[in-house]
Amino acid sequence: MTIPYRVRKNLRRAGITILVLLCIAAALLTVWLLWLNRYIIYRQDGAHLDFGLSGIAQNGEPATPPEPAPTVSIHYGDDKPSDLPAAGAMAQLSGLYITQEQLRSNLAAVRAEAEKLPAGSTVMLDVKNVKGEFFYSSAMGRNAGGISAEGMDDLLELLKSRGCYIIAKMPAFREYWFILDDESARVPLGLPRKGGSGALWLDKSGPNYWLNPAADGALNHIIKVVSELRSKGFSEVLFTDFQFPETDQIKFDGNRQEALSKAADTLVKACAGQNFTVSFLATSEPIPLPEGRCRMYFTGVEAADIDALIQKLGYTDPARKTVFLTDRTDTRYDAYGVLRPLYVPES
């Protein structure tokens, strides 16, 4: 059926007329909404029209930020106020460290000595061995058979109740059970043996494997462990073994020092914060400290060599950025951060 020419022409005219009317209506609606907008006020229960408002735009008043809450000293019974650093401030460290051997041989005696510490003391604890076994009750892996997890948990609760600044010491890249518990997924996170078919290089001194510092999955695992440590009440983590193993039997394409520096930067950005510090134990080739809340720890440094070391490091705030682990009583260490071993009498 053919529509007559005159009918088609009339339909086209009608369509054009309708389109023009719709455009005019849309324009009028837009103008009306813009005009109406000056009479709209917004409350918590929604938008409302108030035609009593002036049509002239009103100048607002700048918001005044709230006054910061006053700093409150923390008291523990009859003890003096805690001298812990304020939130966000990284203070110079002075305190004690507890070794794996002490935890393993006489945890009860360690706890007894910890009870005598002043409130607010700084205490460093080993929390994990080179095989990846945890000394406290952890959801991240296996517990070490030679150390009571319940006893370690009790020691942590005691230190927290005394308001202590607690530092966790743990190997960064040495692992064993973490790899073996899910080999198919985690072998790519380790360091393969040179000339092998993808098998990982085994460090027979553990025995243990080494994680690849350039593998995102390896760093994610470390970040999860640090997150658990924070939830347990630790205020700082010290990474030992933050290096590649000293062997030429591994395959790694790339600059090792650059990989370590990038890994350190990633961990500080991901884990450090206003109330948590990420630190590293210096190796024979210490990495540059990343930007952020972090420190470098040193062992085996003679007091006579401290000035030369500090000058070489070039830190802007060496008293807070450097910590010495020593059993010496030489006061030259005390110009910087220093931790000495907790004395535990032989039973």
Side-chain angles (χ1 to χ4, degrees):
M1 176 179 172
T2 304
I3 301 175
Y5 171 75
R6 190 179 299 276
V7 174
R8 292 203 307 271
K9 188 174 181 180
N10 290 336
L11 289 174
R12 188 182 303 111
R13 287 176 178 174
I16 293 173
T17 302
I18 293 172
L19 181 61
V20 170
L21 291 174
L22 289 174
C23 291
I24 293 172
L28 291 174
L29 179 61
T30 301
V31 171
W32 181 72
L33 288 175
L34 291 174
W35 173 83
L36 191 65
N37 186 63
R38 69 185 66 188
Y39 298 107
I40 299 177
I41 59 175
Y42 297 91
R43 303 191 184 99
Q44 290 184 342
D45 58 346
H48 302 271
L49 286 173
D50 186 353
F51 291 104
L53 293 175
S54 169
I56 302 174
Q58 303 294 317
N59 293 325
E61 296 182 1
T64 303
E67 293 293 330
T71 302
V72 180
S73 297
I74 302 174
H75 295 265
Y76 302 91
D78 296 329
D79 294 314
K80 297 179 180 179
S82 170
D83 58 356
L84 286 175
M90 192 169 72
Q92 180 179 344
L93 289 187
S94 178
L96 303 163
Y97 65 85
I98 299 171
T99 66
Q100 288 188 42
E101 291 73 20
Q102 290 174 323
L103 294 173
R104 184 175 294 107
S105 62
N106 202 338
L107 184 53
V110 169
R111 190 192 188 286
E113 293 303 314
E115 287 181 332
K116 303 174 185 177
L117 296 177
S121 296
T122 295
V123 181
M124 184 171 73
L125 298 166
D126 278 291
V127 297
K128 187 169 174 274
N129 63 22
V130 294
K131 295 186 72 173
E133 298 168 332
F134 293 85
F135 302 155
Y136 62 91
S137 298
S138 172
M140 293 297 299
R142 306 184 184 210
N143 288 114
I147 297 176
S148 166
E150 293 78 9
M152 186 71 163
D153 295 342
D154 180 64
L155 176 60
L156 281 174
E157 289 302 318
L158 170 66
L159 295 175
K160 285 194 293 183
S161 70
R162 301 293 294 163
C164 292
Y165 183 87
I166 317 174
I167 305 168
K169 180 185 173 191
M170 59 168 278
F173 296 123
R174 287 204 200 193
E175 286 285 358
Y176 185 74
W177 294 114
F178 173 71
I179 296 291
L180 292 185
D181 285 342
D182 191 354
E183 289 187 70
S184 59
R186 295 171 180 172
V187 162
L189 307 183
L191 291 172
R193 186 173 66 246
K194 182 184 291 186
S197 57
L200 297 184
W201 177 75
L202 180 64
D203 184 351
K204 295 182 180 180
S205 65
N208 59 322
Y209 298 106
W210 286 71
L211 297 177
N212 183 352
D216 290 341
L219 297 181
N220 286 337
H221 168 64
I222 296 173
I223 290 169
K224 289 179 181 178
V225 174
V226 174
S227 178
E228 182 179 71
L229 292 172
R230 294 185 68 167
S231 70
K232 294 288 184 179
F234 289 92
S235 297
E236 185 169 340
V237 61
L238 170 61
F239 290 123
T240 65
D241 300 292
F242 201 87
Q243 62 188 78
F244 283 83
E246 296 180 356
T247 177
D248 58 358
Q249 298 303 309
I250 61 171
K251 178 182 178 183
F252 180 80
D253 299 325
N255 185 293
R256 298 187 180 189
Q257 283 299 103
E258 288 182 4
L260 290 171
S261 295
K262 185 177 179 181
D265 185 63
T266 298
L267 292 174
V268 170
K269 287 180 179 177
C271 303
Q274 190 177 27
N275 298 301
F276 195 84
T277 303
V278 174
S279 300
F280 307 90
L281 183 66
T283 61
S284 57
E285 293 185 67
I287 58 170
L289 270 182
E291 291 292 329
R293 191 181 176 94
C294 55
R295 313 180 205 263
M296 187 68 72
Y297 284 63
F298 296 87
T299 61
V301 177
E302 296 294 334
D305 299 328
I306 291 176
D307 289 342
L309 174 63
I310 295 300
Q311 187 174 2
K312 179 181 178 182
L313 294 172
Y315 296 158
T316 56
D317 192 2
R320 292 174 173 82
K321 287 287 188 178
T322 56
V323 182
F324 294 99
L325 304 179
T326 181
D327 59 357
R328 306 289 179 86
T329 57
D330 194 308
T331 56
R332 284 176 286 185
Y333 293 106
D334 298 284
Y336 307 94
V338 59
L339 301 181
R340 295 183 169 93
L342 175 71
Y343 171 73
V344 179
E346 296 182 4
S347 56

